Amino acid sequence: MTTSMDPRCPDATAGVRPRLVTRALLLRFVSMVGASASFFLLLPVVPRYAEASGGGGGAPGVATGTLMLATVLGELATPRLVGRFGYRLVLGGGLFLLGAPALVLPLSAGMAGIVVICFLRGLGFAAAVVAGGALTASLIPAARRGEGLALVGIVAAVPSLCGLPLGVWLVAQVGYGPVAVAAGLVALVSVAAVPGLPDREVAAGPSVGVVAGLRDGALLRPAAVFATTALAAGIIVTFLPLAVAAGSAGVVAVALFVQPLAAVVARWFAGRYGDRHGPARLVLPGVLLSAAGTLGLALTGSQLAVLAGAAVFGTGFGIAQNATLTQMYARVPASGYGTVSALWNVAYDAGMGVGAAGFGVLAGWTGYPAAFALTAVLMLGALVPARRDRTAGPRTSD
């Protein structure tokens, strides 16, 4: 028999929204900011340091390529580590691997040492984002998952928005050594927040490994859609400064700020809308807006078109970020959160890397405007899995 005070009674919680921001989530924000700030502060700095250290013209690409390769490999391996050692140990270890090698970067003048440091930091960042992402999902009420992930996206975006330009500016002011030490310390200090976080719990439902996730269309389809939008994100960050006419550096700087800002705002509204109406409705608009924004960037000679394209792409990208991640978490039990975090982050990083590498080759044949236009057409291919995913119907873990 149930009463109105019994939590099993449907009327007991009717109309009551569960609390979103808790002490555990605030502590998670500390570790999240520490990881993101450390990563993005050095992201534009290490390639320049590698070149300045005598690595040659190819050194920047080697440094960044090593970092991203290690990140993808680490993301694929982290769910198994979380299953064995729990959230706290893997998250703390990831922050340590991200921070400690940065402290010795000023002592590594040779290219071999820089590559090793990049590889270790990539593994650390992967462990931090995948273990941290799975832990974050467990801290957010299912009824407010979209809104919670949007809030998480805002917190994670601030260090990237500030860290990228700040790292370049600080190097010009104080040199590479102090910037590397600062990036290392911010990750190591944030380890102090990890013991206050909950560790792995015995989760209901079967274990969902990465290989099983790659075979599951319900997870693979939204991951593929997001990877397509991430492909354009890597292109814009890498090639927009080169594609826009000389003398328009100010426009490029504004566009590269407008794009992530629009993504953050769109992610927030998408999260609130998705909680009320379902995230599946947002995936197609996210793809279409992303492709339209990329197409607008083909007009590289028009400053207005570049700014508008960056804003439209950022809006679509933010919508796709929230909608696909919310869908994927809703389709697994809590035991599969680590796998979802890994697959989504792999889609993000691999999409950006493949996009940047492929666009460079394509633009060499066609020129930048045509390459942006062809990329926009290619992105429309994501409509196929997006439409199939929508007509297949939802599969939830609840």
Side-chain angles (χ1 to χ4, degrees), residues 212-227 328 331 343 347 385 389:
L214 289 172
R215 295 173 178 169
D216 188 345
L219 297 181
L220 194 58
R221 286 190 296 269
V225 170
F226 179 59
M328 292 171 71
R331 291 174 175 181
L343 293 179
D389 195 58

Side-chain angles (χ1 to χ4, degrees), residues 9-89:
C9 180
D11 294 331
T13 57
V16 178
R17 301 182 75 200
R19 184 180 178 187
L20 180 59
V21 180
T22 61
R23 178 180 179 274
L25 188 60
L26 290 174
L27 287 174
R28 170 64 190 126
F29 286 165
V30 173
S31 62
M32 184 186 305
V33 170
S36 295
S38 178
F39 183 81
F40 287 106
L41 194 63
L42 284 186
L43 185 60
V45 170
V46 172
R48 297 176 61 180
Y49 179 70
E51 187 175 28
S53 299
V62 172
T64 301
T66 300
L67 178 71
M68 299 314 297
L69 174 62
T71 299
V72 171
L73 293 176
E75 286 166 349
L76 293 173
T78 298
R80 183 177 293 273
L81 296 176
V82 170
R84 182 171 183 180
F85 300 108
Y87 294 130
R88 287 199 299 248
L89 185 59

Side-chain angles (χ1 to χ4, degrees), residues 59 160 193 208 284 335 366:
S160 63
V208 182
L284 288 175
S335 58
T366 66

